[in-house]
């Protein structure tokens, strides 16, 4: 089967402000293949500024890579003929990180949901369109009679976020790129929405790129996970392997920092060495400045990915006795 | 006990829409003390943000504050936010009570540098301050949320979601208010930065003796950060307890179900959402608003609204399972949080 979407050695570099010699490597040499013959949920996790949204914007064709290519069914996304581009637009749907920014404030929710139905000619019948909308809204725990007819600003944060998910569900895409789709809903609803995403995968064979900083939900919903730090892949592989037994010091820090709803597990027992900052230099491990295990060589050479298990690799010299895995091959881990 | 810095009584807010009246906040009472951190949780759409907006006097039509008072400050120096005139409200915002809105990062002006927006906020309150003073104050605030001073010169689109959110928190704490309401301040942030941001908010709070209302869905965060937790359901506060009581022995059935739905690393793939949909605020169920979804519902629940029960320790709950002193009414099942399964 042909891969549906492929990032091939993709980098995105921003030059900042007026002093444009300063460069931010938002995403560095990322490769990933999503195959439509084998639907799966891949989580992309990492701290704020690690390049998660950049990666999703690249995958959606909203921004162009500085280096490398994004391919849709083997063809460069930016060179698709118009008809194939429309097909791409339908097959690859997005749920954006910020539910407060995405909707045109002058349109009602009915209108917002009718647009894609018309644009992609899902149905001609008004009645059927209504049913489709109602089903999609119910699937995310919203009451159609209460929501349709309202304007986006008349909804709560979590309600807006769910409209984005409902809109994506409506189109039954092949791939859903969901950037923090449940960050603003309560635990109970989160469970419901994630369940409906999982069901999508099962019933319609939809693959999901689940972008999140929430490792708990990533663990519950995904098959595999990619952990990013300052634009680079730190660890990738099967989600159970990575979360239950993290290898990379950064993944360990992330997992140690989860605030648990448990009074016996106090937050903040590990010392934080977090400092905001983009990755600028290309010498050495990006995590060296915060790593408790840093060794001299970490500051000189960028650690390649070492394959520690059949289904996992970590970019860290602590594991250099293991075989190396070329960066463009991380897909092998996650589709294993 | 330290002095109260926020006293809310009988707060009611309604949105008048074409489809009817949405009672988004329906008779909320709440007293908070200096140095205290309250977690405000509840299903999406239950009225948390509306309550915060009402305290800030930021409700816009078709919304209306129907009744209530919200006294901010101690005995010697206080104002009732709901009684101030427009000009007084502008002065009180940010200096007495600050709100870091939900999705705050989207509220930044895209064509203005971050620093200019911060100076604008300071200027309204400190007209005599010099440019250098204001700039110093703004940059210090950026640093206190772990951003580089250089962010002062940047535009919103050059920052990641998390960085923008921290800029908004920096703006919220600029003038050391007594009440800080943070509406999902960290729902867009990773756990490491979450902890930093929360530690920052707590540090600032301790320094200025403020109270913090933390609105959110992350029960883990609530558990780790707050002293008390208020659970809201369909516009009402249904339980208010200390964080310990809430996590070890929640009283209200909705609170029990909420605590029971929390994920951990041992129950992969088990999704325990609370069955049923949140009620339409346009047409609330009779009696106890939770009764259609409550597994303990009795006949009385369908007809009569429960009254407030207050326990000896000062926690309160609205539920027919308890008498007015918060003791379990005999005959009702004894419930442990672990026993709640859906
Ligand atoms: N348009 C832009 N111009 C300049 N720098 C940018 C731009 N967009 C993103 N960046 C930078 O690229 C890096 C990655 O940003 P990105 O938005 O991908 O992070 P993220 O992982 O989605 O973070 P968050 O969890 O906070 O949303 C950040 O350092 C950010 O400042
Ligand atoms: N401007 C408005 N006009 C009409 N209805 C509104 C308006 N703003 C909010 N509502 C409704 O009022 C109710 C409470 O909304 P609110 O934003 O306070 O919820 P919330 O508890 O903050 O939810 P979330 O956790 O999803 O942010 C919701 O049902 C919402 O649809
Ligand atoms: S390569 Fe070195 S600095 Fe980087 S994570 Fe591993 S031990 Fe730490
Ligand atoms: S009053 Fe009745 S329906 Fe309401 S929460 Fe208590 S037991 Fe359940
Ligand atoms: Mg992002
Ligand atoms: Mg809200």
């Amino acid at each position: 089967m042909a891969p549906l979407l492929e990032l091939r050695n993709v980098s995105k570099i921003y030059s900042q402000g007026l002093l444009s010699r300063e460069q931010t490597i938002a995403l560095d040499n990322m490769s990933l293949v999503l195959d439509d013959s084998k639907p799966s949920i891949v989580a992309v996790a990492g701290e704020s500024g690690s390049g998660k949204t950049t990666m999703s914007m690249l995958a959606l064709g909203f921004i162009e890579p500085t280096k490398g290519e994004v391919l849709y069914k083997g063809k460069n996304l930016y060179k698709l003929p118009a008809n194939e581009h429309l097909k791409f637009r339908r097959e690859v749907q997005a749920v954006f990180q910020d539910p407060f920014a995405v909707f045109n404030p002058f349109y009602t929710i009915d209108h917002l949901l009718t647009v894609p139905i018309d644009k992609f000619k899902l149905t001609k019948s008004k009645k059927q369109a209504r049913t489709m909308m109602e089903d999609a809204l119910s699937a995310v725990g919203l009451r159609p009679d209460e929501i349709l007819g309202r304007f986006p600003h008349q909804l709560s944060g979590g309600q807006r976020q769910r409209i984005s998910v409902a809109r994506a569900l409506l189109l039954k895409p092949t791939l859903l790129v969901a950037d923090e789709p449940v960050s603003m809903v309560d635990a109970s609803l989160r469970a419901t929405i994630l369940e409906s995403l999982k069901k999508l995968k099962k019933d319609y064979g939809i693959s999901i790129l689940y972008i999140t900083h929430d490792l708990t939900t990533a663990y519950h919903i995904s098959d595999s996970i990619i952990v990013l730090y300052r634009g680079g892949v730190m660890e990738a592989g099967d989600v159970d392997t990575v979360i239950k037994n993290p290898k990379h010091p950064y993944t360990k820090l992330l997992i140690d920092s989860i605030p648990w709803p448990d009074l016996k597990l106090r937050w903040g027992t590990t010392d934080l060495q977090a400092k905001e900052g983009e990755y600028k230099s290309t010498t050495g491990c990006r995590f060296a400045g915060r790593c408790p295990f840093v060794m001299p060589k970490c500051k000189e050479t960028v650690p390649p990915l070492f394959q520690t298990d059949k289904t996992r690799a970590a970019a860290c010299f602590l594991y250099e006795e293991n075989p190396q895995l070329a960066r463009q091959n991380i897909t092998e881990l996650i589709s294993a | 006990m330290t002095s109260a810095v926020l006293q809310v009584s009988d707060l009611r807010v309604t949105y008048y829409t074409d489809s009817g009246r949405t009672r988004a906040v329906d008779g909320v009472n709440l007293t908070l003390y200096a140095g205290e951190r309250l977690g405000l949780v509840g299903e999406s759409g239950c009225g948390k943000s509306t309550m915060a907006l009402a305290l800030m006097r930021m409700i816009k039509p078709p919304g209306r504050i129907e009744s209530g008072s919200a006294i901010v400050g101690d005995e010697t120096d206080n104002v009732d936010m709901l009684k101030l005139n427009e000009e007084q409200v502008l002065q009180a915002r940010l200096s007495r009570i600050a709100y870091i809105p939900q999705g705050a990062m989207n509220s930044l002006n895209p064509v203005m540098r971050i620093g200019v927006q911060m100076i604008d906020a300071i200027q309204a309150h400190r007209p005599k301050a010099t440019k250098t003073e204001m700039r110093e104050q703004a940059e210090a605030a950026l640093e206190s949320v772990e951003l580089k001073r250089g962010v002062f010169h940047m535009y919103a689109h050059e920052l990641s979601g998390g960085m923008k959110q921290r800029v908004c928190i920096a703006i919220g704490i600029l003038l050391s208010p007594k009440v800080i309401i943070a509406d999902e301040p960290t729902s867009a942030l990773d756990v490491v930065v979450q902890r930093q941001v929360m530690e920052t908010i707590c540090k600032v709070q301790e320094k200025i003796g403020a109270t913090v209302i933390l609105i959110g869905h992350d029960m883990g965060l609530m558990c780790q950060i707050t002293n008390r937790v208020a659970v809201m359901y369909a516009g009402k506060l249904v339980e208010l307890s200390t964080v310990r009581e809430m996590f070890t022995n929640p009283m209200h059935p909705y609170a029990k179900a909420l605590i029971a739905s929390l994920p951990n690393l041992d129950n992969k793939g088990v999704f325990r959402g609370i069955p049923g949909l949140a009620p339409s605020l346009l047409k609330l169920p009779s009696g106890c608003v939770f009764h259609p979804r409550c597994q303990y519902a009795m006949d009385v629940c369908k007809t009569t609204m429960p009254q407030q029960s207050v326990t000896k320790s000062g926690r309160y709950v609205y539920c027919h399972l308890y008498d007015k002193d918060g003791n379990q009414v005999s005959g009702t099942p004894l419930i442990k949080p672990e026993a709640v399964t859906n």
Side-chain angles (χ1 to χ4, degrees):
Chain A
M1 269 306 283
L4 178 68
L5 192 75
E6 179 176 356
L7 302 186
R8 192 179 287 171
N9 302 103
V10 169
S11 297
K12 181 72 192 176
I13 300 167
Y14 289 108
S15 309
Q16 232 158 39
L18 300 167
L19 316 156
S20 62
R21 254 169 305 160
E22 261 199 31
Q23 289 193 328
T24 302
I25 304 173
L27 194 67
D28 186 19
N29 193 3
M30 177 75 187
S31 296
L32 180 69
V33 184
L34 294 163
D35 202 323
D36 59 356
S37 62
K38 198 159 174 280
S40 72
I41 304 182
V42 180
V44 179
E47 66 179 16
S48 171
S50 61
K52 303 183 296 295
T53 299
T54 303
M55 182 172 157
S56 71
M57 292 300 179
L58 286 163
L60 290 164
F62 290 151
I63 54 176
E64 260 193 90
T66 315
K67 286 186 208 142
E69 283 184 308
V70 182
L71 307 168
Y72 169 67
K73 298 199 166 152
K75 290 187 194 149
N76 189 318
L77 196 52
Y78 300 91
K79 295 182 185 132
L80 287 181
N83 60 336
E84 281 183 52
H85 197 262
L86 189 70
K87 207 154 155 258
F88 168 77
R89 278 268 155 274
R90 152 123 203 230
E91 283 197 355
V92 180
Q93 284 301 313
V95 175
F96 295 104
Q97 180 168 12
D98 185 354
F100 285 81
V102 288
F103 298 124
N104 184 328
F106 302 109
Y107 291 143
T108 59
I109 303 302
D110 316 40
H111 186 85
L112 289 168
L113 293 178
T114 313
V115 170
I117 294 183
D118 290 348
K119 181 166 165 202
F120 298 107
K121 306 192 176 64
L122 300 187
T123 178
K124 280 207 182 92
S125 136
K126 273 237 153 58
K127 208 166 134 236
Q128 210 176 340
R130 179 83 186 185
T131 316
M132 291 172 88
M133 285 192 246
E134 289 179 351
D135 289 349
L137 290 172
S138 308
V140 294
L142 291 172
R143 293 174 182 276
D145 52 329
E146 203 181 348
I147 297 297
L148 294 169
R150 289 220 203 160
F151 291 95
H153 71 269
Q154 298 181 321
L155 300 175
S156 78
Q159 287 167 337
R160 273 184 248 195
Q161 203 165 40
R162 282 179 282 159
I163 301 284
S164 315
V165 179
R167 185 183 177 281
L169 297 187
L170 200 62
L171 292 168
K172 308 233 158 47
T174 332
L175 173 67
L176 182 65
V177 179
D179 196 351
E180 306 278 7
V182 291
S183 58
M184 289 187 191
V185 302
D186 55 280
S188 157
L189 252 177
R190 202 172 281 184
T192 312
I193 296 176
L194 292 178
E195 191 58 64
S196 60
L197 288 182
K198 265 190 126 161
K199 216 165 151 279
L200 272 185
K201 177 194 139 186
K202 217 170 99 234
D203 297 351
Y204 300 102
I206 298 175
S207 287
I208 301 170
L209 198 57
Y210 176 51
I211 296 180
T212 186
H213 63 268
D214 179 1
L215 293 172
T216 328
T217 57
Y219 170 73
H220 280 271
I221 175 179
S222 341
D223 303 305
S224 43
I225 187 167
I226 297 170
V227 180
L228 289 181
Y229 181 70
R230 297 187 184 177
V233 176
M234 296 294 106
E235 184 161 355
D238 170 68
V239 75
D240 280 90
T241 316
V242 172
I243 303 277
K244 289 236 151 152
N245 176 20
K247 289 278 194 241
H248 196 284
Y250 175 60
T251 322
K252 287 186 182 168
L253 172 71
L254 278 183
I255 292 172
D256 280 348
S257 308
I258 297 176
W260 291 107
D262 183 342
L263 292 160
K264 292 186 289 288
L265 300 173
R266 285 329 284 186
W267 209 24
T269 42
T270 48
D271 203 30
L272 280 184
Q273 290 193 5
K275 259 274 178 271
E276 183 63 38
E278 311 78 30
Y279 182 63
K280 298 228 163 68
S281 142
T282 40
T283 57
C285 170
R286 318 165 132 70
F287 191 57
R290 286 165 69 183
C291 180
F293 308 103
V294 59
M295 301 168 280
K297 82 166 122 197
C298 304
K299 296 196 170 152
E300 284 150 26
T301 327
V302 180
L305 284 167
F306 294 104
Q307 187 162 1
T308 58
D309 309 65
K310 194 165 149 273
T311 56
R312 179 247 306 274
C316 170
F317 286 123
L318 294 174
Y319 306 100
E320 63 184 330
E321 75 280 7
N322 296 289
Q324 286 191 22
L325 180 77
R327 291 206 170 257
Q328 61 267 29
N329 293 341
I330 60 167
T331 311
E332 287 172 15
L333 300 169
I334 65 178
S335 53
Chain B
M1 197 173 265
T2 50
S3 61
V5 288
L6 176 67
Q7 290 165 272
V8 181
S9 42
D10 196 40
L11 181 63
R12 288 172 198 275
V13 184
T14 308
Y15 292 106
Y16 293 82
T17 58
D18 289 346
S19 29
R21 293 173 16 161
T22 306
R23 286 174 221 274
V25 177
D26 199 6
V28 162
N29 298 303
L30 186 67
T31 301
L32 293 179
Y33 300 92
E36 189 175 33
R37 289 193 288 273
L38 176 85
L40 179 60
V41 302
E43 225 154 33
S44 166
C46 71
K48 302 180 296 297
S49 298
T50 302
M51 176 172 147
L53 290 170
L55 298 181
M56 292 297 288
R57 280 278 294 282
M58 281 161 59
I59 297 285
K60 293 197 195 89
R64 214 176 89 190
I65 301 176
E66 307 283 9
S67 74
S69 67
I71 297 168
V72 178
D74 52 24
E75 310 88 71
T76 52
D77 176 25
N78 64 59
V79 294
D80 184 343
M81 281 304 285
L82 305 189
K83 309 248 150 45
L84 298 180
N85 66 30
E86 284 302 315
E87 199 176 319
Q88 293 166 323
V89 163
L90 290 180
Q91 278 304 315
R93 277 186 206 149
L94 221 55
S95 65
R96 287 179 185 272
I97 177 168
Y99 177 56
I100 300 158
Q102 188 172 13
M105 51 193 186
N106 185 48
S107 64
L108 292 171
N109 186 326
V111 297
M112 259 164 105
R113 288 180 198 277
I114 300 296
V116 177
Q117 301 183 50
M118 296 182 84
I119 289 201
D120 268 5
I122 301 174
Q123 210 155 28
H125 295 270
R126 293 182 60 197
K128 291 204 194 74
T130 66
K131 269 251 143 59
T132 340
E133 280 168 359
M134 290 191 287
R135 171 152 174 197
E136 176 51 38
Q137 194 177 354
E139 290 188 350
L142 288 172
E143 262 188 346
S144 72
V145 292
E146 305 278 338
L147 288 170
K148 290 177 300 183
R149 283 178 173 244
V151 169
F152 188 88
H153 296 290
M154 289 168 78
Y155 290 98
H157 75 263
E158 295 175 325
L159 304 172
S160 78
M163 293 158 87
K164 281 189 276 190
Q165 191 67 19
R166 273 182 282 163
V167 166
C168 296
I169 294 169
I171 295 175
I173 59 180
L174 266 177
L175 301 174
S176 311
K178 280 289 177 232
V179 179
I180 303 171
I181 310 175
D183 199 347
E184 309 215 8
T186 61
S187 64
L189 308 182
D190 66 278
V191 285
V192 179
V193 181
Q194 242 178 38
R195 209 174 108 194
Q196 274 179 321
V197 167
M198 288 320 302
E199 281 171 4
T200 312
I201 294 182
C202 297
K203 246 191 292 167
V204 178
Q205 173 203 16
E206 272 157 35
K207 209 171 88 200
I208 61 186
T211 189
V212 169
I213 301 180
L214 181 64
I215 300 179
H217 293 295
D218 186 339
M219 294 300 279
L221 195 66
M222 296 296 165
C223 176
Q224 300 295 340
I225 289 295
T226 65
N227 315 109
R228 288 200 288 166
V229 179
V231 177
M232 200 164 178
Y233 188 81
K236 298 184 169 64
L237 288 191
V238 293
E239 178 170 348
L240 179 68
S241 298
T242 65
V243 69
R244 177 160 297 281
E245 291 162 335
M246 187 61 78
F247 281 88
T248 52
N249 177 30
M251 290 175 85
H252 195 278
Y254 173 67
K256 286 174 194 289
L258 193 65
I259 298 286
S261 72
L262 300 178
N264 60 50
L265 288 188
D266 298 321
N267 58 355
K268 177 160 180 162
V270 183
F271 292 100
R272 286 203 288 191
I274 303 170
L277 286 185
S280 160
L281 297 178
L282 294 167
K283 204 168 150 281
L284 288 173
S286 60
C288 168
V289 285
F290 190 53
H291 89 251
R293 299 170 74 188
C294 180
Q295 56 171 316
Y296 307 103
M298 303 161 280
D299 283 341
V300 56
C301 305
K302 295 184 187 136
T303 52
T304 318
M305 219 189 284
Q307 295 300 308
Q308 193 180 46
S309 314
V310 185
T311 68
K312 273 203 292 301
S313 64
R315 66 193 292 203
Y316 73 66
V317 62
Y318 289 83
C319 171
H320 289 303
L321 294 174
Y322 306 94
D323 66 18
K324 71 174 193 345
D325 303 317
N327 300 310
Q328 187 119 12
V329 177
S330 61
T332 53
L334 191 69
I335 327 140
K336 285 206 136 129
E338 298 79 34
V340 181
T341 46
N342 294 307

